[in-house]
């Protein structure tokens, strides 16, 4: 029998029991839709994450006080080593794989300008901070080394801060802003970076000389963290190693002791992010696998019913000259038709769900051609696999038994 | 020239729990080309069992079967399918048309399994076949829109669409009234007149008289085999049929054998 004829028979049989066909497809539809939607969201999220990690600068190294195993967040103040500015200077001098390094002091502060109020984080760091993060300014210029040394009350501000204090799109370069009631001169505005992978607005920031923030805003001599960049991406592990060695020595920890500070590189963060998205992929694949399995069992069940119901039809077809393989193909095509039509509807539904999620959550959602192809291929395979047994059962009927079946 | 069909020592038994049913106990039969054979006998004597074996729908426990020169007992499943497709046409008591499938598509069915026939050719041949049984106007009708007699004529059209050497009919008139039965017999007589060999099972003597040869099966054996003394002509019998009933008949006037 010709293939077009088989398609025709399958189509007719499915159209005859529309509700039943639809319910049978439902498993495949849900499975495929889930796969498409989840892959789209996962991929979108992964891409957002990757681009924001790249936005941090690909060869950035962060050094936090507090050990990795204990977790910096749970450490009480004073319980672990604290860095001083001299430590930063020592690393800069001794670590050959380091290109830039800066101490970082972080504080929350209230900003005031022209009757507007804005609460934001003030970050104190050397001018090199902008080189480390590869962060250009849209107007004005960064503060100088001498302004850093002199603890000058100058700053550059992020786009969000500028928008909220001076109006959207404004250029407040040269204007003045009060930070915790101290007047600072705005030297420039940072280029917008948008949200980071954790959904924080990276433009909601004020950057001022480290010494200024330390002495005039925070009022202590400690360094919250350090940020450095390696001479190249390849030199990252070496740079991290050098920092660790120098700090261990300076903090007078015995060699081999668990360091109570954490050196974290962007590549590590990226690797962690990749591990998360890998785990997500495994999870999604198992959901997909399970729903396709359930859908497949549904198909098998309904195909068995169909073979039984149509035993006499099979007998008649055999009587007029159908071979076993013609009957096998007929039922296989029918099973595949269920799963492929289900797959098609599932792809449509999945894209729809992805679009709705994208709209509702503001995620970047990417439906890739490959995920559609994979979902489709899997649904076809499901039909093939689960349709095989009932089809073979039909093909093995002997004509007279089939014709006599009641 | 060898016989079209020759069976020798056919045996078929069915095991039903404790009891053994000897459906066929050594049947020998030869049928030549162009014959029209009626097989009769009491219920349960093994007529259908014999027909199913002749139709390659069932296999005997032992015995030989040659059909059109081929040793059927030696053929594999696919070969048997080919024989059923090319050489045989089977007509059932219960019509066995595919539901929700038009008369035309039902008749096309054997051609679809033939392989080398294109869909357009299949349709053309199916229409010709339907025309021979006088149903070309009903080509697009579904079985549930046809009378019993019309359904059986569709089934006959299906059985002959592949130009078989032999048409086997197991009680084709068993579900039909007298007049419709006569119409069916007329179709068979016309087919036979055109050279097609026909073997037909019936237990009605009125029907058997339209065949040229009568075989009687009793307890799984052939007990009588002789030519019909006076073969009746179905067209003449139909003409004699009371007009009142003819007018009430749902079937169409037959076109078979008439020039269009
Ligand atoms: N599939 C089967 N299983 C068991 N016994 C069977 C089967 N088919 C037929 N028989 C038995 O074989 C014997 C012959 O049956 P068969 O159908 O050939 O009779 P028949 O001559 O066609 O009868 P009828 O005129 O009533 O159609 C019967 O006794 C029947 O009960
Ligand atoms: Mg019978």
């Amino acid at each position: 029998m010709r293939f077009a004829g088989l398609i025709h028979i399958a189509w007719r049989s499915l159209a005859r029991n529309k509700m039943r066909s639809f319910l049978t497809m439902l498993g495949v539809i849900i499975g495929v839709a889930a796969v498409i939607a989840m892959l789209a969201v996962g991929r979108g999220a992964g891409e957002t994450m990757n681009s924001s990690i790249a936005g941090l600068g690909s060869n950035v190294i962060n050094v936090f006080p507090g050990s990795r195993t204990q977790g910096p967040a749970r450490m009480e103040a004073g319980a672990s080593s604290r860095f001083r500015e001299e430590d930063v200077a020592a690393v800069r001098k001794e670590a050959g794989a380091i290109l830039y390094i800066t101490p970082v002091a972080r504080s929350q502060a209230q900003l005031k300008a022209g009757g507007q109020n804005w609460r934001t984080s003030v970050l104190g760091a050397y001018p090199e901070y902008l080189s480390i993060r590869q962060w250009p300014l849209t107007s004005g210029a960064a503060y100088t080394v001498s302004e850093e040394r002199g603890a000058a009350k100058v700053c550059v501000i992020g786009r969000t801060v500028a928008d909220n204090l001076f109006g959207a799109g404004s250029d407040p370069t040269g204007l003045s802003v009060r930070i915790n009631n101290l007047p600072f001169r705005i030297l420039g505005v940072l280029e917008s970076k948008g949200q980071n992978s954790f959904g924080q607005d990276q433009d909601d920031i004020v950057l001022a000389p480290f010494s200024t923030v330390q002495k005039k805003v925070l009022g202590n001599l400690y360094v919250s963290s350090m940020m450095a960049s390696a001479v190249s991406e390849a030199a990252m592990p070496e740079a991290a190693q050098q920092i660790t060695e120098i700090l261990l020595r300076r903090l007078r920890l015995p060699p081999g002791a668990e360091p109570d500070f954490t050196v974290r590189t962007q590549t590590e963060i990226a690797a962690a992010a990749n591990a998360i998205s890998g785990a997500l992929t495994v999870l999604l694949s198992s959901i997909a696998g399970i729903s396709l399995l359930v859908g497949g069992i549904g198909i098998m069940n309904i195909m068995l019913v169909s073979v039984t119901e149509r035993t006499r039809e099979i007998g008649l077809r055999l009587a007029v000259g159908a071979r076993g393989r013609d009957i096998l193909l007929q039922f296989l095509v029918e099973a595949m038709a269920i799963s492929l039509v289900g797959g098609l509807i599932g792809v449509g539904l999945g894209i729809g769900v992805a679009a709705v999620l994208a709209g509702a959550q503001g995620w970047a959602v990417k439906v890739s051609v490959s995920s559609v192809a994979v979902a489709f291929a899997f649904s076809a395979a499901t039909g093939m696999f689960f349709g095989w047994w009932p089809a073979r059962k039909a093909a093995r009927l002997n004509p007279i038994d089939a014709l006599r079946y009641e | 020239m060898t016989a079209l069909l020759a069976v020798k020592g056919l045996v078929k038994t069915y095991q039903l729990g404790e009891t053994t049913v000897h459906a066929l106990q050594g049947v020998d039969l030869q049928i030549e080309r162009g014959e029209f054979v009626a097989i009769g006998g009491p219920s349960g004597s093994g007529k259908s069992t014999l027909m199913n074996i002749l139709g390659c729908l069932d296999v005997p426990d032992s015995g030989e079967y040659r059909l059109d020169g081929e040793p059927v007992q030696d053929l594999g499943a696919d070969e048997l399918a080919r024989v059923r497709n090319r050489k045989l046409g089977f007509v059932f008591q219960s019509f066995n048309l595919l539901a929700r499938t038009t008369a035309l598509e039902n008749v096309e069915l054997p051609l679809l399994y033939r392989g080398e026939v294109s869909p357009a050719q299949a349709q053309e041949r199916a229409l010709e076949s339907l025309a021979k049984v006088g149903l070309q106007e009903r080509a697009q009708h579904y079985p549930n829109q046809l009378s019993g007699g019309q359904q059986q004529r569709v089934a006959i059209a299906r059985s002959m669409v592949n130009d078989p050497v032999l048409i086997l009919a197991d009680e084709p008139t068993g579900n039909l009234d007298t007049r419709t039965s006569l119409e069916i017999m007329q179709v068979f007589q016309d087919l036979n007149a055109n050279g097609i060999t026909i073997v037909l099972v019936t237990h009605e003597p009125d029907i058997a008289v339209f065949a040229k040869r009568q075989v009687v099966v009793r307890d799984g054996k052939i007990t009588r085999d002789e030519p019909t003394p006076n073969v009746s002509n179905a067209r003449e019998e139909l003409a004699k049929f009371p007009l009142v009933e003819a007018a009430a008949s749902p079937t169409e006037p037959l076109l078979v054998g008439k020039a269009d």
Side-chain angles (χ1 to χ4, degrees), chain B residues 47-48 170-171:
Chain B
K47 305 182 296 289
S48 293
D170 191 354
E171 300 194 42

Side-chain angles (χ1 to χ4, degrees), chain A residues 404, chain B residues 14 16 21 23 42-49 171 203:
Chain A
R404 282 218 199 98
Chain B
Y14 293 105
L16 281 178
V21 181
S43 185
S45 56
K47 305 182 296 289
S48 293
T49 307
E171 300 194 42
H203 33 212

